[in-house]
Amino acid sequence: MADETAAGYLDARIDALREHLAALAAALPQLPAAFGGVRDQLMLEWQARGRGYVLGLIAAFLLLGFALEAVYRYSFPKAEAERLRAMALRFARDVGGVAVFALGSIAAFLVFDWPPRTRQAVVAFLAAFIVVRLVMVVSHALLSPSDARLRILPAGDAEAASWHRRVALFAGWLAFGWVLAGWLALLGMDLASRQIIVYLLGLGLLAIAAGSVWRRSRIVALGFVVAWALWVLAGARGLFWLALVAVALPGVMRLTQAGVDHALRPPGAAAAEARGVTAAAVGRALRALLIIGAAFLLVYAFGLNVDAVASGDALWMRLLRGAVQALAIILIADVLWLVTASLIDQKLTSPQEQNARLRTLLPIVRGTVAVVLLVMTVLMALSALGVQVGPLLASAGVVGIAIGFGAQTLVRDLFSKFFYLLDDAFRVGEYIQSGNYKGTVEQLGARSIRLRHHRGPVYTIPYGQLGAVQNMSRDWVIDKLTINLSYDTDLDKAKKLIKQIGKELAANPEFAPAILEPLKMQGVEAFGDFAITIRMKMMTKPGQQFTIRRRAYSMIRAAFDANGIKFATPTVQVAGGGEAAAAAAAQAVALAKPPAEA
């Protein structure tokens, strides 16, 4: 097949189509005779036991299954008030009901003795009925015609009920056709006659599918017609599934995301206004599963499975299958990255999250996860495409050794960064000083830290050159204030005034959150040449002491002026020689007068 030209392949398909249509045309007049043969086989099968006996057995095991299911549903707990929990409980109840019905009906079926062909037909019918009921359970969970609160897909009541009926009709028709085709084969009907019946049943499926989407999208309806034509006329199984996937997959993906948004909307909201992290992650994961499932479906539809690849050993077949596997790897990695990045961004932007260490470490974690995911995804995708990644890793190791000899400074910076962060020496937003460099930490780069000085300049310092770090933004600071008072000051009075000022500052709503210990006077610091130096202190949160200090100085001056306490200022006294000094002073005054006055 791989060595054929496109023209040869097309000629072969046309010849096969002609033979197929000729066989159907020849079988069409013989269809009544084929049904007569089926009837004869049934009469022969039911000769020992009458038709009523067989139908009674079928009715008996169905009734037993439904009775057990009714008991199960009666004993199942009622749905909770919380919406998601109620959805899950109802879905679990419905699935459990189908499981109980299946167990009860299968048990009753095994008790009785059945004719061989009838036994196989009943097994097929029972399996199809259970599958249809499971499809209905899923449809009921998604559309919930009777309870809009528990509806996953956003739709009105009338629309949900209409789609639920169409899903039931489509699933039932498909299951009926599948069971009928298998049973006719068991009863000896020839292949061409069975194909005519199956194609007619397929027309019914086409009518249901196209009629369901005709008003919304005539293009999609036309796509269903093309898919049916590829299946019936051309017999192209791969092209049929390709057309079906191309028509149905985009709409299913949109419905999936819309359903996730609607189901995970905030409580009390009529519609999903903003997509949260959970909704985005679940929606992306479901869409990835849909794309991966569709890709592998096409792989098997076109015969690109493992056996075909091993037997044909065609390069393009291996590349196509590898491309599908690489696509699955990329989609899974995309989901993992979305979940990780969204959780990290949510933590970083959360108003409740005030942990500076997390704000420092989370961007580093995000970058590390991105690099690891990228490298692993590329290597796994290359491996899926058939590329030997072992030599690539070995070459990367050799190059890494060569670079390592010329990158000792880089390695030192990286290790220094690791240990600084391990010791929690600084975080983004903290004010630190290292040697002659000081400022607020703005960014922690791969090999350097960026500091913003309080006057504006930016320092970029490699981690290996930081050395000892003085962190001025941790926990608390003690701010000490000194003032000079005259020697005649009442120190006890000054102490009481300062204590009162400290209480007023601590009671001020503007400063209270930042004050850990109020302002108080510690006592006399020193006796100077012209003043008594007293010292005060207060404990505040880091960076808040400057504003509180300015307000404290202002309040101290006002309080001291109001209570007669004077600040000391340096003075100069000139002492001296009696009459000689007085004469010198008088002479200086005379010399200072203008000549006219003199």
Side-chain angles (χ1 to χ4, degrees):
M1 181 66 69
D3 298 331
E4 293 180 357
T5 62
Y9 176 77
L10 183 60
D11 289 339
R13 295 306 309 168
I14 292 176
D15 292 339
L17 175 59
R18 289 174 179 173
E19 294 177 1
H20 182 63
L21 293 178
L24 293 179
L28 188 59
Q30 305 298 326
L31 197 58
F35 275 110
V38 169
R39 185 183 63 253
D40 294 339
Q41 291 294 330
L42 282 177
M43 293 299 101
L44 183 63
E45 180 80 10
W46 290 347
Q47 187 174 6
R49 297 178 177 87
R51 184 186 311 172
Y53 176 79
V54 175
L55 295 178
L57 291 180
I58 295 175
F61 76 74
L62 286 179
L63 289 175
L64 179 60
F66 280 121
L68 292 177
E69 181 181 356
V71 174
Y72 163 80
R73 289 181 177 275
Y74 179 78
S75 60
F76 198 87
K78 300 297 182 181
E80 298 289 335
E82 198 273 323
R83 185 165 173 263
L84 286 178
R85 183 176 176 84
M87 288 180 179
L89 283 175
R90 189 181 67 174
F91 182 74
R93 180 197 64 191
D94 293 345
V95 172
V98 175
V100 170
F101 167 82
L103 292 175
S105 58
I106 291 173
F109 171 79
L110 295 176
V111 170
F112 300 101
D113 184 24
W114 299 84
R117 294 179 182 178
T118 304
R119 179 186 184 90
Q120 296 179 17
V122 173
V123 169
F125 164 77
L126 182 59
F129 186 70
I130 292 173
V131 170
V132 170
R133 292 206 57 198
L134 288 175
V135 171
M136 295 304 299
V137 166
V138 175
S139 175
H140 189 258
L142 294 176
L143 297 170
S144 185
S146 58
D147 190 352
R149 188 178 72 94
L150 304 182
R151 188 173 300 151
I152 295 177
L153 295 179
D157 293 341
E159 186 180 13
S162 175
W163 276 103
H164 187 63
R165 289 192 298 269
R166 290 171 182 172
V167 170
L169 180 60
F170 188 90
W173 191 276
L174 179 61
F176 170 75
W178 176 68
V179 172
L180 180 61
W183 198 18
L184 292 177
L186 287 174
L187 295 174
M189 180 177 282
D190 61 285
L191 177 61
S193 300
R194 294 202 313 272
Q195 286 179 336
I196 293 175
I197 296 172
V198 169
Y199 292 157
L200 292 175
L201 293 173
L203 275 176
L205 292 178
L206 175 62
I208 296 171
S212 300
V213 300
W214 179 257
R215 292 184 178 179
R216 290 179 174 268
S217 175
R218 288 173 172 78
I219 296 178
V220 175
L222 181 61
F224 286 138
V225 174
V226 171
W228 181 87
L230 289 172
W231 171 52
V232 174
L233 300 178
R237 179 167 168 260
L239 293 177
F240 162 74
W241 285 110
L242 178 61
L244 193 60
V245 167
V247 171
L249 184 60
V252 173
M253 291 174 61
R254 287 193 298 269
L255 280 177
T256 299
Q257 186 62 67
V260 171
D261 293 340
H262 185 70
L264 299 180
R265 70 179 188 266
E273 299 175 355
R275 184 175 299 165
V277 175
T278 304
V282 173
R284 185 75 65 90
L286 292 177
R287 284 186 293 174
L289 288 176
L290 288 173
I291 295 174
I292 294 171
F296 278 99
L297 174 63
L298 294 178
V299 165
Y300 285 95
F302 281 99
L304 303 177
N305 50 26
V306 178
D307 295 335
V309 173
S311 60
D313 198 27
L315 177 61
W316 69 274
M317 295 174 71
R318 293 199 302 270
L319 288 178
L320 283 176
R321 183 173 179 82
V324 172
Q325 294 176 351
L327 175 64
I329 293 170
I330 293 172
L331 290 173
I332 293 173
D334 176 65
V335 173
L336 293 177
W337 169 245
L338 172 69
V339 174
T340 304
S342 300
L343 290 176
I344 291 175
D345 291 340
Q346 188 181 45
K347 277 287 185 181
L348 290 175
T349 58
S350 175
Q352 291 83 15
E353 186 54 63
Q354 301 296 330
N355 194 327
R357 189 176 189 185
L358 282 180
R359 294 200 306 272
T360 301
L361 294 178
L362 286 179
I364 300 173
V365 172
R366 180 172 54 189
T368 304
V369 171
V371 172
V372 171
L373 273 178
L374 179 62
V375 172
M376 292 182 62
T377 302
V378 170
L379 291 178
M380 294 175 68
L382 290 176
S383 178
L385 291 171
V387 178
Q388 298 295 326
V389 298
L392 292 178
L393 294 177
S395 301
V398 173
V399 173
I401 294 174
I403 294 175
F405 284 109
Q408 296 181 8
T409 304
L410 176 62
V411 173
R412 182 185 65 179
D413 292 337
L414 294 177
F415 272 94
S416 298
K417 173 187 177 180
F418 172 76
F419 286 109
Y420 277 128
L421 295 180
L422 183 64
D423 294 336
D424 195 21
F426 44 76
R427 306 166 187 169
V428 174
E430 293 184 337
Y431 194 93
I432 66 172
Q433 180 172 356
S434 174
N436 295 326
Y437 307 108
K438 60 182 177 180
T440 303
V441 179
E442 280 196 346
Q443 182 181 5
L444 299 176
R447 61 175 297 269
S448 62
I449 183 174
R450 189 167 69 191
L451 301 181
R452 172 76 65 173
H453 192 270
H454 56 272
R455 293 183 179 176
V458 176
Y459 299 115
T460 301
I461 314 163
Y463 292 107
Q465 298 181 15
L466 275 180
V469 174
Q470 181 182 4
N471 194 326
M472 304 179 186
S473 299
R474 286 294 172 87
D475 302 329
W476 48 269
V477 294
I478 292 181
D479 194 24
K480 295 187 177 181
L481 300 78
T482 57
I483 55 176
N484 295 323
L485 301 178
S486 60
Y487 272 95
D488 59 351
T489 299
D490 185 348
L491 295 179
D492 291 334
K493 187 177 182 180
K495 184 175 182 179
K496 293 178 181 179
L497 291 175
I498 292 172
K499 184 176 181 180
Q500 181 60 32
I501 291 171
K503 292 181 179 179
E504 293 177 4
L505 287 172
N508 191 327
E510 181 181 357
F511 304 114
I515 297 177
L516 303 180
E517 290 185 6
L519 178 70
K520 60 183 178 181
M521 175 177 164
Q522 290 185 285
V524 176
E525 177 73 11
F527 289 102
D529 294 335
F530 62 90
I532 298 175
T533 302
I534 63 172
R535 186 172 70 178
M536 302 165 287
K537 76 169 185 177
M538 60 179 174
M539 180 186 293
T540 67
K541 292 183 178 179
Q544 305 296 319
Q545 69 271 26
F546 307 107
T547 305
I548 301 175
R549 180 198 304 167
R550 287 191 287 269
R551 178 61 65 88
Y553 276 142
S554 176
M555 295 176 68
I556 288 173
R557 173 165 183 170
F560 281 11
D561 287 346
N563 288 274
I565 299 177
K566 297 180 180 180
F567 294 95
T569 56
T571 58
V572 178
Q573 287 185 346
V574 179
E579 294 180 359
Q587 185 178 3
V589 172
L591 292 175
K593 291 182 179 181
E597 294 182 5

